[in-house]
């Protein structure tokens, strides 16, 4: 009597079967929600640069963020972002709010652009700075951004974006002249449309 070998379905095989039979068809049939409140997270890289007679700063760091907004119509909304970047020498916090225009290629894929106001606080570790006076800088300016979003489901979106902030910083201790800082941010984002 011969015994046949039976193979058990492993977890990776089951995951692949689930992906093919359930998730992919759902993505293909999802009709995205394009109005109302949304909330999500961002992860990427940020470059902070400043050129002045007093100091030349050009730092790259990891970037984390929160984005939230409200789509008033399918093509127009308001977005707020909170960006946080840090490394061994500095900690940066930025906040922006901007009107946002969106253009849809189809029900799944869209691009957007925005232009608005921004504020930032930059704190640098004075022990690691030979000049010793870059402790706290804060200021206001503007932001502009653009990106692309893909609807994964009717409410979940994945995207890539570029945000630029130009901030007129002032030293809290008035030890240096006011100067402009440039924040260049490239991130991936995931958000949920409520």
């Amino acid at each position: 009597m011969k015994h046949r070998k039976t193979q058990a379905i492993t977890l990776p095989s089951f995951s692949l079967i689930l992906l093919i039979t359930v998730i992919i068809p759902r993505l293909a049939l999802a009709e995205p929600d394009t109005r109302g409140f949304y909330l999500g997270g961002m992860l990427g890289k940020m470059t902070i640069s400043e050129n002045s007679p007093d100091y030349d700063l050009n730092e790259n760091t990891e970037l984390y963020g929160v984005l939230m907004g409200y789509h008033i119509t399918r093509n127009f909304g308001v977005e707020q972002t909170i960006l946080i970047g840090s490394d061994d020498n500095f900690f940066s916090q930025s906040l922006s709010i901007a009107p946002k225009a969106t253009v849809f290629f189809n029900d799944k894929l869209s691009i957007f652009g925005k232009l608005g106001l921004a504020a930032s606080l930059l704190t640098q570790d004075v022990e690691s700075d030979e000049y010793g006076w870059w402790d706290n800088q804060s200021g206001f300016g503007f932001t502009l951004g653009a990106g692309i979003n893909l609807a994964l489901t009717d409410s979940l979106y994945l995207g890539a974006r570029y945000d630029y902030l130009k901030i007129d910083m002032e030293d809290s201790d008035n030890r240096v002249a006011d100067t402009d800082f440039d924040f260049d941010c490239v991130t991936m984002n995931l958000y949920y449309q409520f």
Side-chain angles (χ1 to χ4, degrees), residues 43-47 60-64 84-87 90 92:
L43 180 63
K45 291 284 188 181
M46 175 171 61
T47 300
N60 295 305
T61 185
E62 301 291 324
L63 174 69
Y64 309 94
I84 298 172
S86 67
D87 71 3
F90 72 90
S92 168

Side-chain angles (χ1 to χ4, degrees), residues 28-56:
L29 298 173
E31 204 170 297
D33 184 4
T34 57
R35 293 194 178 123
F37 178 73
Y38 63 94
L39 177 66
M42 303 162 64
L43 180 63
K45 291 284 188 181
M46 175 171 61
T47 300
I48 299 176
S49 56
E50 180 271 334
N51 293 305
S52 74
D54 294 325
Y55 194 71
D56 183 18

Side-chain angles (χ1 to χ4, degrees), residues 2 8 25 30 32 44 47 49 69 78-79 88 95-96 105 107 113 124 132 135 144 155 163 174-175 187 193:
K2 288 187 175 180
T47 300
S49 56
V78 177
E79 181 173 272
D88 294 338
L95 172 71
S96 69
F105 293 113
D107 285 341
Q124 187 160 4
D135 49 356
L144 61 92
S155 297
D163 288 289
N174 295 317
R175 290 184 270 186
T187 58
Q193 179 81 44

Side-chain angles (χ1 to χ4, degrees), residues 124-191:
Q124 187 160 4
D125 182 1
V126 293
E127 293 177 352
S128 65
D129 188 344
E130 66 189 37
Y131 297 100
W133 39 257
W134 287 94
D135 49 356
N136 287 308
Q137 300 272 331
S138 62
F140 298 94
F142 73 90
T143 182
L144 61 92
I148 187 167
N149 287 320
L150 174 67
L152 299 177
T153 68
D154 58 346
S155 297
L156 190 63
Y157 290 79
L158 177 67
R161 62 194 297 139
Y162 170 77
D163 288 289
Y164 171 78
L165 290 81
K166 179 88 164 178
I167 308 291
D168 179 22
M169 298 288 228
E170 297 179 7
D171 181 33
S172 62
D173 299 322
N174 295 317
R175 290 184 270 186
V176 294
D178 296 350
T179 186
D180 289 336
F181 279 76
D182 297 318
F183 296 78
D184 293 286
C185 310
V186 177
T187 58
M188 294 293 293
N189 61 267
L190 185 68
Y191 71 86

